[in-house]
């Protein structure tokens, strides 16, 4: 009886050891033998140097088990709109003589970014489901801005004279259109090159599917464009159902010229010149760039 029990324990131990050995061998050989990977990557953190909402598609081609070349294309677009309203009503102070003023300002900023990169990876260690690598990449990074700012103020002025209420309605507007800059003129179009030293790891969830993390130190340098804008502002008189423009000013920062058109008195029409400002320049940035990745190996 004792001999049978010892034999059973020996067989159980042998099976356990065989299963563990097979599992270890499976984990050791888990990394797939593929040539090309395609992945989507994103940066979950937000900081000043980061292009807004950048979506990047990367591809890697393995030259052998240690070396791979990588190509990437990224595109981003961000749009934000800010509406502000204000009003003033003085009827509670004097129902016979009062003003009603309603104003609204709308600011829209747009940012588009484009990134094209090529690089090299050295996969120095692979164990189980994990694959570790270091590498470098370089390429082009451009950021492009545009914006509009529209302000409208509608005023109703009421006065009572000789027992009769008289209403005067006016509308004033001030519209800006920005090119190559944001509405605050704190950011201007950028065209530059970058280089990144990187380190990362891939975890193969399944035979071909992997998730990864990467950390890079990026050096980015380039030129800023000259952001320009045009402005049109004016005053419109509303009388009953008819409207007429009192005056209109048109300005372009390209020329520095302001054209004033007075529709009430054409003798007041005139053109004035101002300074033309140049906002071109160069920039250099160094920043840490993390990324989370998900991809598939073919």
């Amino acid at each position: 009886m004792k001999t049978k029990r010892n034999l059973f324990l020996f067989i159980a131990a042998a099976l356990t050891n065989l299963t563990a050995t097979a599992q270890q061998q499976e984990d050791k050989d888990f990394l797939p033998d593929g040539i090309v990977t395609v992945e989507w990557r994103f940066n979950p953190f937000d900081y000043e140097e980061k292009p807004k909402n950048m979506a990047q598609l990367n591809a890697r081609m393995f030259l052998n088990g240690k070396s791979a070349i990588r190509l990437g294309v990224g595109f981003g677009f961000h749009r934000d709109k800010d509406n502000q309203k204000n009003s003033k009503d003085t009827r509670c102070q004097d129902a016979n003589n009062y003003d009603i003023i309603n104003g609204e300002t709308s600011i829209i900023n747009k940012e588009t970014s484009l990134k094209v990169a090529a690089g090299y990876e050295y996969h120095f260690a692979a164990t189980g489901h994990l694959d570790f690598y270091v590498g470098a990449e370089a390429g082009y990074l451009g950021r492009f801005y545009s914006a509009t700012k529209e302000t409208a103020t509608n005023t109703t002025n009421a006065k009572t004279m000789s027992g009769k209420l008289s209403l005067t309605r006016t509308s004033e507007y001030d519209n800006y259109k920005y090119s190559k800059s944001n509405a605050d003129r704190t950011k201007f179009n950028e065209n530059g090159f970058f280089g990144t030293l990187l380190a990362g790891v891939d975890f193969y969830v399944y035979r071909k599917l992997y998730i990864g993390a990467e950390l890079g130190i990026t050096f980015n340098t380039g030129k800023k464009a000259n952001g320009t804008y045009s402005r049109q502002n004016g005053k419109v008189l509303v009388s009953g159902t008819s409207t007429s423009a009192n005056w209109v000013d048109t300005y372009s920062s390209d020329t520095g010229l302001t054209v004033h058109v007075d529709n009430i008195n054409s003798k007041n029409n005139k053109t004035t010149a101002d300074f033309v400002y140049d906002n071109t320049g160069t920039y250099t940035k160094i920043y840490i760039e993390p990324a989370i990745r998900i991809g598939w190996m073919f």
Side-chain angles (χ1 to χ4, degrees), residues 167-193:
L167 295 178
T168 302
R169 296 183 178 90
T170 58
S171 177
E172 296 185 59
Y173 64 90
D174 197 359
N175 298 336
Y176 290 81
K177 185 175 182 180
Y178 297 89
S179 175
K180 303 178 183 179
S181 76
N182 64 349
D184 294 333
R185 292 178 62 76
T186 57
K187 297 180 180 180
F188 301 90
N189 280 12
E190 298 178 1
N191 284 282
F193 295 93

Side-chain angles (χ1 to χ4, degrees), residues 97-100 155-159 165-170:
N97 293 281
Y98 61 85
D99 292 316
I100 301 175
T155 303
T156 299
N157 176 257
K159 291 184 178 181
L165 184 65
S166 175
L167 295 178
T168 302
R169 296 183 178 90
T170 58

Side-chain angles (χ1 to χ4, degrees), residues 62-80:
F62 284 84
L63 305 177
N64 51 52
K66 296 290 186 180
S67 298
I69 58 175
R70 57 191 272 167
L71 300 172
V73 177
F75 179 79
F77 178 77
H78 179 75
R79 179 183 184 272
D80 65 78

Side-chain angles (χ1 to χ4, degrees), residues 58-98:
N58 268 31
R60 296 187 295 189
M61 184 174 70
F62 284 84
L63 305 177
N64 51 52
K66 296 290 186 180
S67 298
I69 58 175
R70 57 191 272 167
L71 300 172
V73 177
F75 179 79
F77 178 77
H78 179 75
R79 179 183 184 272
D80 65 78
K81 183 176 182 180
D82 182 22
N83 278 335
Q84 301 175 5
K85 294 183 178 181
N86 58 78
S87 61
K88 180 181 179 181
D89 191 339
T90 63
R91 282 178 292 186
C92 59
Q93 298 175 357
D94 188 346
N96 294 315
N97 293 281
Y98 61 85

Side-chain angles (χ1 to χ4, degrees), residues 255-266:
T255 61
L257 297 180
T258 300
V259 179
H260 176 80
V261 178
D262 192 325
N263 293 312
I264 296 178
N265 184 357
S266 59

